[in-house]
Amino acid sequence: MNTLAIATEPLPLHTDQGGVVRVGGTRITLDSVIYAFKEGSTAEQILEDYPSLRLADVYAVIGYYLRHKEEVDAYLREQSRQAEEVRRQDEARFDRQGIRERLLARLSSSSPGSS
């Protein structure tokens, strides 16, 4: 009689130095995979968008999400909050008012025959 060896495999997630959770040995974020899944993408469709992933890893991550939805959703909310904070800081540092006009003025002053 053949028996199936049941083994626990490590979850294909790791946290990088910046605290971002990535899938497998790639730079693809957990956020990217889960947002695609939440929008209705299948594991195969996610793999088409992120070919550096392995199909088994995508399924494992989706399974992890389904078993730990509350914790993963809390992580995603925190990632979103941090991204919004960075965006606000960037906007405060860089004056975006009139940028189109400044770029057009710079372009017209550097084009031939504008001297």
Side-chain angles (χ1 to χ4, degrees):
M1 169 190 246
N2 289 339
T3 59
L4 179 63
I6 298 179
T8 303
E9 295 191 19
L11 190 61
L13 295 173
H14 68 279
T15 304
D16 68 13
Q17 291 178 334
V20 176
V21 177
R22 305 212 179 256
V23 179
T26 72
R27 295 189 40 80
I28 308 301
T29 63
L30 172 65
D31 309 44
S32 299
V33 173
I34 298 305
Y35 285 134
F37 175 72
K38 284 179 156 189
E39 290 192 3
S41 294
T42 65
E44 290 79 7
Q45 290 168 325
I46 293 169
L47 189 63
E48 286 177 19
D49 291 338
Y50 304 103
S52 60
L53 294 174
R54 293 182 13 199
L55 184 59
D57 290 348
V58 175
Y59 274 112
V61 168
I62 291 170
Y64 177 80
Y65 171 67
L66 293 173
R67 284 188 298 280
H68 301 276
K69 191 173 185 311
E70 204 169 288
E71 298 95 330
V72 174
D73 284 342
Y75 166 80
L76 295 175
R77 282 191 302 275
E78 177 60 18
Q79 289 298 103
S80 181
R81 186 199 64 75
Q82 288 178 11
E84 180 62 24
E85 179 62 28
V86 168
R87 186 188 64 76
R88 272 192 294 248
Q89 289 172 0
D90 285 348
E91 285 178 354
R93 247 186 308 180
F94 303 108
D95 176 26
R96 295 178 193 234
Q97 295 295 89
I99 192 166
R100 182 175 190 275
E101 290 77 16
R102 289 192 307 268
L103 289 172
L104 288 173
R106 187 179 305 161
L107 181 63
S108 67
S109 68
S110 66
S111 62
S114 61
S115 305

